[in-house]
Amino acid sequence: MVQVPVLAIHGGAGTINREALSAEAEREYRGALQSILEKGRDALTAGASALDAVTLAVSMLEDCPLFNAGRGAVYTSAETHEMDAAIMDGSTLRTGALSCVHGVKNPIRAARVVMEQSPHVLMTSDGAMAFLREHGVEFMPDAYFDTEHRLAQLHQAQARQPGAAVLDHDGAAAASKLSFAGNPLDEKTKMGTVGLDSRGNLAAATSTGGMTNKLPGRVGDTPIVGAGCYADDGVAVSCTGSGEYFIRLVVGHDVAARVRYQGASLEDAVRAVLARVGELGGTGGLIAVDKMGHVTLPFISEGMYRGCVRGAEAPLVAIYGQEEGC
């Protein structure tokens, strides 16, 4: 049976900060999400695998400085960039993940190299980067990742809360009042996508620069398989939010387990898991797709960059809560 392919993406969830967003900036965000979905849709309808489609979508998010991954990654307390990424093939349970890497142009493509070219699931820091160089992964100079608005976020966060790590748009909201009016959300940001291809295979991919002013060496939920990113033959999940809470609750796997073992619908499973995140004090959201092509993009915050596309249809994108279609 041929399955209608599906692709969903997210770029962070959090508290609406509408006054920090100009009409031009909103068009830019929505346009970026739509362009990524269109490219992913075209790949899937041409017969690409779910794994290839999610790789493409997240690499495009990483290339866009609007988003906290790859080129737009936030700064650590030491004014450096440390990035995490993970990718998972639901049809085989093969997984590749990276933490605390720097200089890697597209961490999601590098995570796939770990999956396909090493015997490991998760690699980190200098050893990971040496391995990636040996396998021809593209690196960029530090200046490629330096952006003025991210540096403003860092300095403002350090002035307000010395020594405290700040979830991406907690810093962006304050910095926007000084120098950058480009972020509509006070968001907890990872970039991620989930996909279902025409053969019924699922995949998930997630990438992030982490938290503004985080201590060097901090690792969030993104590269921890089953926490921020997970896919099996029934469900694919990519998370965004308060990483420490998503790790404690193993959110991605919990969603898949509720569907598999309880027979829960995809919607009921994700709502129940996010409710637990909220009970612990966390915020954020996730995107998920199941083997039947059902898609859900819920969040326990005021908004989430998000979008989805089914078959050859036009993509749907949204930023704020209660937008039709997403």
Side-chain angles (χ1 to χ4, degrees):
M1 178 179 175
V2 176
Q3 175 68 51
V4 175
V6 175
L7 186 70
I9 63 174
H10 71 76
T15 303
I16 294 296
N17 186 15
R18 289 177 184 263
E19 67 273 15
L21 182 68
S22 67
E24 180 181 357
E26 181 171 340
R27 286 194 297 271
E28 195 171 359
Y29 275 96
R30 291 182 187 274
L33 292 171
Q34 182 165 337
S35 176
I36 292 165
L37 286 167
E38 288 172 346
K39 292 290 178 59
R41 175 200 63 195
D42 292 348
L44 284 170
T45 56
S49 68
L51 191 67
D52 286 343
V54 299
T55 302
L56 172 64
V58 174
S59 67
M60 291 181 69
L61 286 163
E62 291 171 336
D63 289 343
C64 179
L66 293 173
F67 300 105
N68 176 22
R71 191 175 186 184
V74 299
Y75 286 83
T76 71
S77 61
E79 296 194 8
T80 59
H81 304 283
E82 291 187 349
M83 297 174 286
D84 302 336
I87 190 167
M88 189 163 187
D89 182 349
S91 65
T92 63
L93 299 183
R94 292 188 307 159
T95 311
L98 292 164
S99 72
C100 299
V101 296
H102 59 88
V104 180
K105 182 177 185 289
N106 290 113
I108 200 64
R109 294 188 183 278
R112 186 163 174 178
V113 170
V114 172
M115 179 179 76
E116 296 177 340
Q117 303 295 327
S118 85
H120 307 306
V121 166
L122 172 61
M123 298 185 71
T124 190
S125 195
D126 292 344
M129 291 188 294
F131 170 82
L132 296 174
R133 287 191 176 95
E134 289 172 4
H135 287 79
V137 168
E138 185 175 5
F139 279 72
M140 299 296 287
D142 290 344
Y144 174 82
F145 303 92
D146 293 338
T147 52
E148 290 184 10
H149 69 277
R150 295 299 188 200
L151 191 59
Q153 280 180 232
L154 174 66
H155 291 162
Q156 183 68 8
Q158 291 174 331
R160 286 188 302 143
Q161 296 176 289
V166 180
L167 291 158
D168 178 24
H169 286 281
D170 289 335
S176 68
K177 297 173 184 177
L178 297 178
S179 61
F180 180 70
N183 291 284
L185 300 182
D186 173 18
E187 83 195 60
K188 288 70 177 161
T189 306
K190 296 98 178 170
M191 309 303 114
T193 181
V194 291
L196 172 70
D197 64 29
S198 60
R199 292 169 290 280
N201 296 322
L202 293 155
T206 315
S207 181
T208 184
M211 302 170 72
T212 296
N213 203 35
K214 67 181 180 181
L215 292 175
R218 180 263 182 182
V219 179
D221 61 305
T222 292
I224 299 177
V225 177
C229 188
Y230 185 75
D232 61 19
D233 61 358
V235 175
V237 182
S238 178
C239 301
T240 176
S242 311
E244 279 69 13
Y245 296 96
F246 283 73
I247 293 170
R248 293 168 191 166
L249 292 172
V250 200
V251 165
H253 185 267
D254 194 12
V255 169
R258 287 169 185 266
V259 172
R260 182 180 295 274
Y261 301 129
Q262 293 183 344
S265 69
L266 183 66
E267 184 72 19
D268 287 346
V270 298
R271 295 289 179 186
V273 174
L274 282 180
R276 295 191 69 204
V277 173
E279 288 166 3
L280 286 183
T283 62
L286 60 83
I287 56 174
V289 60
D290 68 16
K291 63 184 178 182
M292 303 302 294
H294 299 126
V295 180
T296 185
L297 302 87
F299 45 94
I300 49 170
S301 55
E302 292 184 32
M304 181 169 74
Y305 294 117
R306 62 200 186 277
C308 59
V309 64
R310 183 181 301 276
E313 296 175 2
L316 299 171
V317 300
I319 297 175
Y320 308 112
Q322 299 182 333
E323 290 193 54
E324 185 176 352
C326 290

